Every structure is written in structure tokens, then in C-alpha cells.
Amino acid sequence: MQPMTKNQIIRALLYDVCFATGYAFLISSVMGWFVPPAFLSFLLILLSASLFVLHTRVDEQNQKKEMAMLFVIGAHVILLFAGLIKITWQSESMPVQDMILLIVICLAMIVFYGIFAYFRAKSNYKKVRGNQKHSAKWRISQREREQMELDEKNVFFSLGFEYEKEGEI
């Protein structure tokens, strides 16, 4: 295994910070201990999203890490809305903590569904894209071309030139 570069260490450290703060704040919000301010959640969303973009551009093969990063971004989005609800909720019939709990549960279901839909769309795109790639791979070797020329029924084209067996058609 190759040693990690300085850039990878920094990205891993930032990801760990985003992961720890996201889930610690989420648990503290559900328990009613502490709801982070919306601005802090917004900054953590930006940091997590930028790490996700770097991950998908550089280390695209690790699907488990990609899913975990999407859950971290989703946790911070939930915390953003929980922070906004804490500031703006003024109803006397339903306490703020109950509304935060309701928002967290509803948004968690939406985040789970969104991540599921993302990976389904990604796998379907790769299947369709994979079918399109085959058309560019229709290159034949010299040996295959000679075999095709020996067969009287085969006619093939190469870069605008028509090749066919001389004789009866």
C-alpha cells in the first residue's frame, strides 16, 4: 500500500472533522442538548461538499467512502434546517425541541432516499454509458481482417474504403 501524501492526509483529517461534528451535533440536537447555529452548519456543508467533489474527481472508485460522505453532507443539511427552526419557531402549541425532532426525522428520511436515488441513477448511467462505449471499440486486428477476407460472405468497411473478397458476389 502506498503511503499517503500530504494532500490526502489533510483531506482525511478534514473529512474526520466533518464526520465527527456532523454526527455529534445531530445526536445532541435529537437529545435536546445543543443545536448548532445555522451559519456553522452552512460552513460545514460547504466544507463537506468540497471534500466530496475532490473525492469524486480523484478517488472515484471507493463507493463506500462516497456514500459516507453523502451521509455527512446530509447530516449537515439536517442540522442547517434544525438551526433555522430553532431560531424561527414561535408556536406555543408545539415546543421547539419537538419541532426540531420532527424536522430531523423527516429530513433524515429524505436524505436516505436521496442518497439511494443518487446511487441508482449513477449505476443506471454507467450501464447506459457502458453500452455506448462498445461502439468505439470496433477495431479489428490484421489477423481478424485476413480471416474476414477469406470468408466470401463478409463485407466490411474501414475508414471509408470498402473491402470485399474479389470474385463472385
Side-chain angles (χ1 to χ4, degrees), residues 41-147:
S41 296
F42 177 72
L43 291 177
L44 289 172
I45 287 171
L46 291 178
L47 180 63
S48 301
S50 63
L51 289 172
F52 176 75
V53 168
L54 282 173
H55 169 73
T56 55
R57 295 292 179 222
V58 177
D59 308 322
E60 191 172 329
Q61 304 303 322
N62 194 347
Q63 189 172 6
K64 289 181 182 180
K65 187 174 179 184
E66 184 177 357
M67 186 180 293
M69 293 179 98
L70 286 173
F71 277 119
V72 169
I73 293 171
H76 287 297
V77 169
I78 292 169
L79 289 170
L80 174 73
F81 283 104
L84 292 174
I85 289 296
K86 182 181 178 188
I87 293 170
T88 59
W89 189 254
Q90 299 295 325
S91 175
E92 293 181 9
S93 63
M94 187 173 192
V96 172
Q97 185 55 37
D98 292 344
M99 189 61 191
I100 289 174
L101 183 61
L102 181 67
I103 289 292
V104 166
I105 290 171
C106 290
L107 288 178
M109 289 189 298
I110 291 171
V111 164
F112 286 135
Y113 178 74
I115 292 171
F116 175 74
Y118 170 78
F119 280 106
R120 286 286 294 173
K122 189 175 175 182
S123 68
N124 287 340
Y125 175 76
K126 284 186 177 180
K127 286 179 186 174
V128 170
R129 185 85 170 149
N131 289 341
Q132 293 174 356
K133 287 182 182 176
H134 293 298
S135 64
K137 294 183 180 178
W138 278 91
R139 294 188 180 96
I140 58 171
S141 67
Q142 184 68 26
R143 181 176 164 210
E144 290 172 332
R145 184 157 80 194
E146 289 171 359
Q147 287 177 350

Side-chain angles (χ1 to χ4, degrees), residues 17-31 33-34 36 75-76 79:
V17 167
C18 289
F19 182 84
T21 57
Y23 288 108
F25 284 156
L26 196 60
I27 290 170
S28 70
S29 296
V30 169
M31 299 302 265
W33 300 329
F34 174 71
H76 287 297
L79 289 170

